[in-house]
Amino acid sequence: MNAAPPSYPSHPSYPWNRQQPGPMPHHRYRPHHERVRVPVGERSWPSARIERAPLWVPVDLRDGNQALAEPMDTGRKRRFFDLLVAMGFKEIEVGYPSASRTDFDFVRHLTALVADGGVPDEVTPVVFTPARRDLIDRTFESIAGLPRAVVHLYIPTSPVWREVVLGRDRAEVYAVAADAAAHMARLADARPDADIRFQFAPETFNLTEPDYVLEVCDGLTELWDASPDRPVTHNLPATVEIATPNVYADQIEYMHKHLARRDAVILSVHPHNDRGTGVACAELAVLAGAQRVEGCLFGNGERTGNVDLVTLALNLYAQGVDPMVDLSDIDAVRETVEYCNRLPVHPRHPYGGDLVYTAFSGTHQDAIGKGLARHTATAAALGVAPGEAPWEVPYLPIDPADVGRTYEAVIRVNSQSGKGGVAYLLETHHGLDLPRRLRPAFSAVVQEVTDASGREATPKELYELFDTEYLAPGRDGDVGLAAWTTHQESPDTHHRFACTLRTDARTGDHEGTGNGPLSAFVDALAGAGITVDVVDFAQHAVGGGQSAEAVAYAECRIGGETFWGAGRDTSVLTASVHAVLAAVNRSAAR
């Protein structure tokens, strides 16, 4: 039953109220429901949940490879294959042996590796073949010597492909597929020493009449005499996306509920990404009954690519489901994929791009910084390592450390950044814990610089900017100390601060008293005609052992305005004095 169409506001600016059509010839295209009718009964998939990972099958060495401007040679294919094995994939499509000498030679190369353990016992190679006897013969020739393999047979089945590409009707296409399947069975029977299983893909499944796909698949299931201990795989591709993902889910659920010998069939999907919804199609297909998903790492493939197995696996991981593949060093995975494919992974690619765990926005940085601090505190309270504590940090769906990333790149600073990000970087890289009231002031300084440069500021540049703005005035300003001492005669008496103070071109001796050495210094400044009121003060240690230093921050009211200064020294008192001097000199520079 179709939902009632929504009502729209009548404001003339909205496009649906235009009287004239838009400039693009949309009338040339038919909606999916006019191209293929999907019988929809009572849907089960909307209320289902994914609680275990499907069987992931990477097709980078076949489908991904055939989409490359420069296909992989044997060396690159071997490096990619070794990566896939190390990641834990149990079925790997290794090539299209009848399509090229390179693919054939690589399958033979794998055969030679079996004795040395290069193809582990738990890994099954998959080879791809069209429905032609001579090409099937070539495919079986390539796997001679492999102890186990899946032979993947395909033929286009949709009306447009039947009519335009094959020039055959439904019965004729079925006859070709059945003849090819029977030939495969005979060749497999001739190799009783090997575990050879069968896979069938009705190419353009999502554009094919569902009753016809069911007829072909059930016919091959029976021909191959599939059983639970020797199942057949039916791989149902969205060869070219034509509809929203829910339509694909309906198609998969129809097959799931109607396939014969269902306990002897592994229901597989192979989504492409023409509409940008390959991941959603795969996830909804698994909800609808799919047990196996074919795709490529980072979504390489024809046109807009195959579905991305990395995104799919880590989407499950982010839901607390074991993805059953190892992505704990995602940068190493990406490096290998980029080398083998000679294609870069986009910096915004989910989970694996350079910038996906990076925040430039000030509000995001502040939330992440607070979230990381609370995560550390939560782990300590639970008595577990941070890597074992429950993860709830704003804007970060997973802990970057789980995929081998460090926190160094999580927050970066440009003209869009705020006080939280600047403070976070200074603390994590340089140990400076800026007082909260100082953060907005320094953030404004940073923004002025990044606005002018048009680029981000590195942590090193941030520290240099902080040094120039807040530390250097206490060391090198017009008001300085040529010499100074402080003492307290007894615990019950005031502190005394005696100094030789340089102001502009004059140098003089001054003395002050106070409850502490810093207040005594402020009193000495007053004697020199410099009135300072310390509004706020903070200090902390940086480093440890013999290299430990103190950093002090002073917020001072001078001449009716407030100025911050900072000092850094091995002596807490010296750092504090420099902080006040820095505020004084910054006020004089205004």
Side-chain angles (χ1 to χ4, degrees), residues 439-589:
R439 294 178 185 186
F442 183 51
S443 178
V445 173
V446 173
Q447 186 165 24
E448 183 178 350
V449 171
T450 52
D451 270 336
S453 68
R455 63 178 183 84
E456 68 174 288
T458 66
K460 179 177 181 290
E461 289 170 333
L462 286 176
Y463 182 80
E464 291 171 350
L465 191 58
F466 181 82
D467 182 272
T468 300
E469 188 71 21
Y470 295 101
L471 291 170
R475 299 188 305 260
D476 310 317
D478 289 339
V479 178
L481 291 172
W484 60 275
T485 61
T486 181
H487 67 279
Q488 184 182 21
E489 293 180 356
S490 71
D492 299 326
T493 61
H494 283 82
H495 288 261
R496 290 185 177 276
F497 192 100
C499 62
T500 301
L501 189 67
R502 183 187 68 252
T503 58
D504 296 328
R506 300 187 305 275
T507 300
D509 294 331
H510 300 275
E511 186 174 304
T513 61
N515 293 328
L518 193 60
S519 61
F521 172 53
V522 169
D523 188 49
L525 287 175
I530 303 171
T531 303
V532 178
D533 180 17
V534 178
V535 178
D536 192 16
F537 177 81
Q539 63 90 20
H540 62 79
V542 175
Q546 294 182 347
S547 62
E549 290 184 300
V551 180
Y553 311 90
E555 182 184 18
C556 302
R557 185 173 292 112
I558 305 168
E561 293 187 63
T562 299
F563 298 89
W564 279 95
R568 181 168 185 163
D569 196 85
T570 54
S571 160
V572 174
L573 179 55
T574 301
S576 304
V577 169
H578 285 174
V580 173
L581 276 177
V584 169
N585 282 310
R586 292 186 71 241
S587 73

Side-chain angles (χ1 to χ4, degrees), residues 252-562:
I252 298 302
E253 187 165 74
Y254 174 81
M255 296 296 289
H256 168 57
K257 291 181 175 179
H258 293 88
L259 279 167
R261 304 196 197 189
R262 185 63 186 88
D263 62 347
V265 172
I266 298 171
L267 182 53
S268 177
V269 293
H270 180 109
H272 278 256
N273 201 40
D274 299 271
R275 292 168 53 93
T277 58
V279 167
C281 280
E283 291 178 332
L284 267 59
V286 172
L287 292 173
Q291 301 150 294
R292 179 181 184 272
V293 177
E294 292 188 351
C296 290
L297 302 190
F298 301 109
N300 180 43
E302 298 281 10
R303 303 180 309 282
T304 56
N306 293 76
V307 69
D308 174 20
L309 295 186
V310 172
T311 298
L312 286 171
L314 289 175
N315 279 357
L316 283 188
Y317 183 75
Q319 296 296 309
V321 177
D322 184 352
M324 303 300 288
V325 289
D326 184 2
L327 287 159
S328 60
D329 189 352
I330 200 167
D331 287 339
V333 173
R334 189 188 69 184
E335 179 185 347
T336 298
V337 172
E338 289 180 325
Y339 168 79
C340 294
N341 287 342
R342 299 181 177 93
L343 287 174
V345 171
H346 195 280
R348 295 293 183 190
H349 194 98
Y351 300 108
D354 274 336
L355 298 177
V356 296
Y357 304 105
T358 300
F360 289 102
S361 162
T363 54
H364 291 203
Q365 292 173 342
D366 185 60
I368 290 171
K370 290 174 179 175
L372 291 173
R374 192 179 79 164
H375 178 74
T376 301
T378 299
L382 294 173
V384 299
E388 297 296 325
W391 182 257
E392 288 186 352
V393 174
Y395 298 111
L396 295 176
I398 66 170
D399 185 346
D402 288 350
V403 290
R405 291 286 178 88
T406 67
Y407 295 121
E408 292 182 3
V410 169
I411 293 176
R412 289 162 62 175
V413 170
N414 64 10
S415 61
Q416 303 301 310
S417 305
K419 60 184 184 297
V422 172
Y424 177 85
L425 289 180
L426 281 179
E427 182 172 10
T428 56
H429 289 268
H430 300 287
L432 301 187
D433 184 11
L434 302 192
R436 292 204 170 273
R437 291 215 295 267
L438 171 56
R439 294 178 185 186
F442 183 51
S443 178
V445 173
V446 173
Q447 186 165 24
E448 183 178 350
V449 171
T450 52
D451 270 336
S453 68
R455 63 178 183 84
E456 68 174 288
T458 66
K460 179 177 181 290
E461 289 170 333
L462 286 176
Y463 182 80
E464 291 171 350
L465 191 58
F466 181 82
D467 182 272
T468 300
E469 188 71 21
Y470 295 101
L471 291 170
R475 299 188 305 260
D476 310 317
D478 289 339
V479 178
L481 291 172
W484 60 275
T485 61
T486 181
H487 67 279
Q488 184 182 21
E489 293 180 356
S490 71
D492 299 326
T493 61
H494 283 82
H495 288 261
R496 290 185 177 276
F497 192 100
C499 62
T500 301
L501 189 67
R502 183 187 68 252
T503 58
D504 296 328
R506 300 187 305 275
T507 300
D509 294 331
H510 300 275
E511 186 174 304
T513 61
N515 293 328
L518 193 60
S519 61
F521 172 53
V522 169
D523 188 49
L525 287 175
I530 303 171
T531 303
V532 178
D533 180 17
V534 178
V535 178
D536 192 16
F537 177 81
Q539 63 90 20
H540 62 79
V542 175
Q546 294 182 347
S547 62
E549 290 184 300
V551 180
Y553 311 90
E555 182 184 18
C556 302
R557 185 173 292 112
I558 305 168
E561 293 187 63
T562 299

Side-chain angles (χ1 to χ4, degrees), residues 55 57-59 61-62 81 90-97 106-107 110 123-129 139 142-143 146 148-153 197-199 233 235 292 294:
L55 174 63
V57 180
V59 296
L61 300 176
R62 195 277 303 174
F81 179 80
K90 303 307 180 188
E91 274 189 26
I92 301 171
E93 192 165 75
V94 295
Y96 191 160
F106 179 68
V107 179
L110 292 182
V123 174
T124 300
V126 182
V127 287
F128 191 71
T129 181
T139 302
S142 74
I143 63 172
L146 280 178
R148 68 206 155 272
V150 173
V151 180
H152 182 179
L153 172 70
R197 293 187 291 110
F198 305 126
Q199 175 175 335
T233 298
N235 188 43
R292 179 181 184 272
E294 292 188 351

